[in-house]
Amino acid sequence: MITDPWFLAAAVPAVVLVGLSKGGFGGPIGLLGVPLLALVVPPVQAAGIMLPILVTMDVVGLVSYRGVYHWPSLRVLLPAAVVGIGVGWLTAAYVTDAHVRLIVGSIALLFTLDYYFGGAKRLEPRTPPASQGVLWGAVSGFTSFVSHAGGPPFSMYMLPQRLDPRLLAGTAVIFFTVVNQVKLVPYFMLGQFSGENLWTSLTLLPLAVAATLAGVWLVRRIQPALFYRFVYAAVLVVALKLIYDGLRAVM
């Protein structure tokens, strides 16, 4: 188990942010979890520590949102995500985290700018065509595999539909539960589950469960309009963070 005080100083806020996101509150802001851990441990180790925690959070989310999900979206997104995970596994040795962060961050930034400058259009619910669902599902599976960065692509297909916050949160729980379960075997084969990492993950699990339940509690009490303003703001923050990290790595 990692006992370095600097690691704990990064791990606690990382797990809280991811837990709130997994509970449905804040959407892709949970993407900041791995970058926070990567400040004190190598990025690959950070991803290995976070995956068992994510799987545990998924279980809490499934119980909290049982029966609440948008099947038409999942039917489009999930098969594409599995393909994206497969591509991520096959190209893991060739694709750098920096390039993934730059691509995802740039797309997410354009997405949020369109929302903020789109006027009344942003308030009108719309269902993107299935072709976009296949695209963003595959991108989400790929980026989730290489850097746990599947939130923004998932949001690009889901947020324009302006579903009820609980329905959106429940759909995200189902989607990322399947994605994280599929990722377990490739991560194991890539050697990311060392004894030290697993013990560290186990130590952080109680905090992970508490943070996820807090996210569920917040979603059930927040007004939909405020919820969507918060989620879009979270996507913007994450986009800027991804672009910054990507540029810093390649320069």
Side-chain angles (χ1 to χ4, degrees):
M1 181 183 128
I2 302 174
T3 57
D4 180 3
W6 286 112
F7 172 80
L8 296 176
V12 170
V15 171
V16 169
L17 285 173
V18 175
L20 290 174
S21 175
K22 279 290 186 180
F25 185 78
I29 201 168
L31 181 60
L32 296 173
V34 171
L36 276 174
L37 282 183
L39 294 174
V40 291
V41 296
V44 171
Q45 185 178 11
I49 291 171
M50 283 304 304
L51 186 53
I53 293 172
L54 292 174
V55 171
T56 302
M57 291 174 172
D58 289 335
V59 174
V60 177
L62 285 173
V63 174
S64 301
Y65 290 106
R66 56 188 178 278
V68 181
Y69 55 87
H70 191 244
W71 173 244
S73 295
L74 290 173
R75 184 176 56 200
V76 174
L77 290 168
L78 280 175
V82 173
V83 173
I85 292 169
V87 173
W89 183 12
L90 293 174
T91 61
Y94 309 102
V95 179
T96 67
D97 281 352
H99 291 117
V100 172
R101 293 177 193 278
L102 278 174
I103 294 170
V104 175
S106 298
I107 295 172
L109 178 61
L110 292 174
F111 176 69
T112 52
L113 290 178
D114 177 69
Y115 168 77
Y116 284 116
F117 295 103
K121 180 182 67 174
R122 70 176 185 266
L123 301 176
E124 299 172 1
R126 63 181 181 84
T127 301
S131 58
Q132 290 188 23
V134 172
L135 170 64
W136 295 127
V139 173
S140 183
F142 175 80
T143 56
S144 180
F145 182 84
V146 298
S147 61
H148 294 328
F154 173 84
S155 298
M156 287 171 213
Y157 183 73
M158 293 302 302
L159 290 186
Q161 301 183 54
R162 298 192 67 80
L163 301 174
D164 177 83
R166 292 190 70 247
L167 189 58
L168 174 62
T171 304
V173 166
I174 296 287
F175 178 80
F176 286 106
T177 295
V178 174
V179 166
N180 288 331
Q181 291 293 326
V182 174
K183 283 157 56 178
L184 285 173
V185 172
Y187 265 61
F188 178 79
M189 295 181 69
L190 291 172
Q192 294 204 32
F193 294 140
S194 68
E196 181 184 50
N197 287 353
L198 288 174
W199 275 111
T200 301
S201 302
L202 183 63
T203 302
L204 294 169
L205 286 184
L207 177 62
V209 172
T212 306
L213 291 174
V216 173
W217 184 85
L218 287 168
V219 167
R220 289 174 175 171
R221 284 156 180 79
I222 194 170
Q223 293 295 322
L226 179 60
F227 173 84
Y228 274 93
R229 284 198 294 270
F230 183 87
V231 172
Y232 273 102
V235 175
L236 178 60
V237 170
V238 170
L240 294 174
K241 172 64 174 172
L242 286 171
I243 292 171
Y244 171 77
D245 288 347
L247 288 175
R248 189 176 63 173
V250 299
M251 294 178 65

